[in-house]
Amino acid sequence: MKKLVTIILGMLALAIIYPSQGFAQKEKTEKKKKEKKEWTWEMPELTGNKEFDDYLKLCDTLNWRIQSYTDSITFYHVVKIRQTNPETGELLVDEVGNPIEEIRVIEGDPEGEYNMRGTKEALAQNAAIIMTGMNILLDAALVTTSTANATLALPSLGLKALSYAKYVKAGPKMASYALKEIKELNELCKEQRKQIRAIKKLQDGYANSEEAEDVKISTSKLEEIGITDVATVVMPSDVYQKEKEAADLADSQLPDNADDEIELDDA
């Protein structure tokens, strides 16, 4: 009897790794009819089997890191900021009647909540986000390579293997999500990083010239460096001034060459 149970559990383990062609085809057809479901993960009790428990811990860590990353990730945008009179709400205009606007970097949603950021601060924060994503991809790869060993360890769990098999299936789902979705998020962050770097280069050029008293970039200059899709945000001039001062202060506390040490564009 004990031998029979072992054989059945062994077949179960193989079925997890090598599903039959017919079942795989049926599953593929059903997926077209159903909406794709995200995995659900709840850390179970450890089994006492070191190899399998190590796999559970890997999955639990990956699950936590994915959720933390997707919940906390923030994006940066190059925007045109127009100021309004705090009392009347009317747009401030220059001597010829054009709205006064300045190109700046913001963190957040241009159509929702956001905060102005200096280019050096934005690049430092952006680099931290990219590095976190890259580390999660390494964790996902580790879970992927460990899944086969965890599956082969299932039979040693005895009858508990039946209830723990679902955790072996959840691991690859998490890893697949990370390898696809988080990689795409990282690519978006890298694209934004290129734009911020381009803005910083322009600002540094203005700051080192004698042509402007303040660091301002025109829309035409953005087009020259390939930035064409720029949102316009509006804020009261007093709020703008506070945000600008805070952003400039944060940048002033960072070294000018801080970003030179971080090469992530082609990572």
Side-chain angles (χ1 to χ4, degrees), residues 41-61 157 160 163-164 167:
W41 177 266
E42 223 176 282
M43 181 66 172
E45 291 185 9
L46 297 179
T47 65
N49 179 293
K50 184 180 184 305
E51 192 167 51
F52 197 84
D53 288 348
D54 286 346
Y55 179 75
L56 290 177
K57 292 174 184 176
L58 281 176
C59 290
D60 193 56
T61 298
L157 303 183
K160 289 193 296 185
S163 59
Y164 278 85
Y167 297 104

Side-chain angles (χ1 to χ4, degrees), residues 101 103 202 206 216-224:
E101 60 184 26
I103 304 299
L202 282 178
Y206 272 99
K216 294 184 179 180
I217 302 171
S218 65
T219 303
S220 60
K221 283 290 183 182
L222 289 182
E223 294 173 352
E224 289 177 13

Side-chain angles (χ1 to χ4, degrees), residues 62-80:
L62 178 60
N63 179 69
W64 178 82
R65 295 196 71 185
I66 289 174
Q67 297 301 332
S68 298
Y69 181 81
T70 54
D71 289 344
S72 63
I73 190 170
T74 184
F75 294 104
Y76 297 84
H77 302 274
V78 175
V79 298
K80 291 185 287 187

